[in-house]
Amino acid sequence: MSKQKVLFVCIHNSARSQMAEAWLNHICGDSFEAQSAGLEPGVLNPLVVEVMKEEGIDISRKKTQAVFDLFKRGEHFSYVITVCDEASAERCPIFPGLTQRLHWSFPDPSKATGSHKEKLNQIRPIRDAIKQKIEGWCVKVCTSTNKT
């Protein structure tokens, strides 16, 4: 049985989409192969790397990539899931092709303010919300796929 390909997309591919990719590959990697990309790829957020490492997931070697590069390579995905916050939703890119599109809104970790510790305390709930969404989605999609 081949894995369904999933693409997580946000503006910079520096935080939310990277966390979602890592969680899906960690939690449900036997059914899905996740990637992530951004409209304007930036630099991986080191605070996100830190909070994911707290959960035993090392994304420190991940690189950001552009949605357009995946499109030019002819990549196809069963699901394309945008993870921008509602304020940025209008800028969140749409990946072309025959695919099921979903939008999951999460706050932008780059908006965290304060000291290093305060920023981590603001990013952890985002990390946990993404994990919870992935867990629920995996159960729902894997259950409906097995019934067909």
Side-chain angles (χ1 to χ4, degrees):
M1 182 173 127
S2 64
K3 296 179 182 185
Q4 293 185 74
K5 291 178 69 177
V6 177
L7 177 64
F8 291 99
V9 181
C10 65
I11 302 298
H12 300 293
N13 187 219
S14 62
R16 294 166 287 192
S17 56
Q18 293 279 354
M19 287 190 284
E21 173 190 354
W23 279 126
L24 184 59
N25 286 330
H26 180 77
I27 294 167
C28 210
D30 54 336
S31 299
F32 298 100
E33 176 188 325
Q35 293 186 54
S36 63
L39 182 62
E40 303 165 2
V43 176
L44 192 58
N45 184 323
L47 297 171
V48 168
V49 172
E50 192 172 336
V51 299
M52 290 301 286
K53 189 167 266 182
E54 292 173 356
E55 294 293 311
I57 299 174
D58 183 5
I59 63 169
S60 63
R61 289 185 171 82
K62 293 290 296 170
K63 302 286 184 219
T64 61
Q65 62 180 340
V67 169
F68 191 64
D69 290 342
L70 295 174
F71 176 69
K72 286 191 300 188
R73 288 197 307 252
E75 297 267 354
H76 296 281
F77 297 91
S78 300
Y79 297 91
V80 174
I81 304 170
T82 54
V83 292
C84 309
D85 60 331
E86 290 301 334
S88 301
E90 70 279 355
R91 293 191 61 221
C92 228
I94 300 295
F95 195 85
L98 298 174
T99 185
Q100 187 167 354
R101 291 176 180 89
L102 302 170
H103 176 71
W104 299 344
S105 180
F106 296 103
D108 186 352
S110 72
K111 304 282 191 236
T113 59
S115 68
H116 181 79
K117 183 178 179 179
E118 290 168 333
K119 288 178 183 178
L120 291 175
N121 286 335
Q122 294 167 53
I123 295 171
R124 286 183 188 110
I126 300 167
R127 172 203 63 200
D128 297 344
I130 292 171
K131 178 184 181 185
Q132 184 177 19
K133 185 71 173 180
I134 295 286
E135 288 172 335
W137 186 74
C138 286
V139 169
K140 180 179 146 190
V141 173
C142 289
T143 302
S144 66
T145 303
N146 291 335
K147 289 181 180 177
T148 57

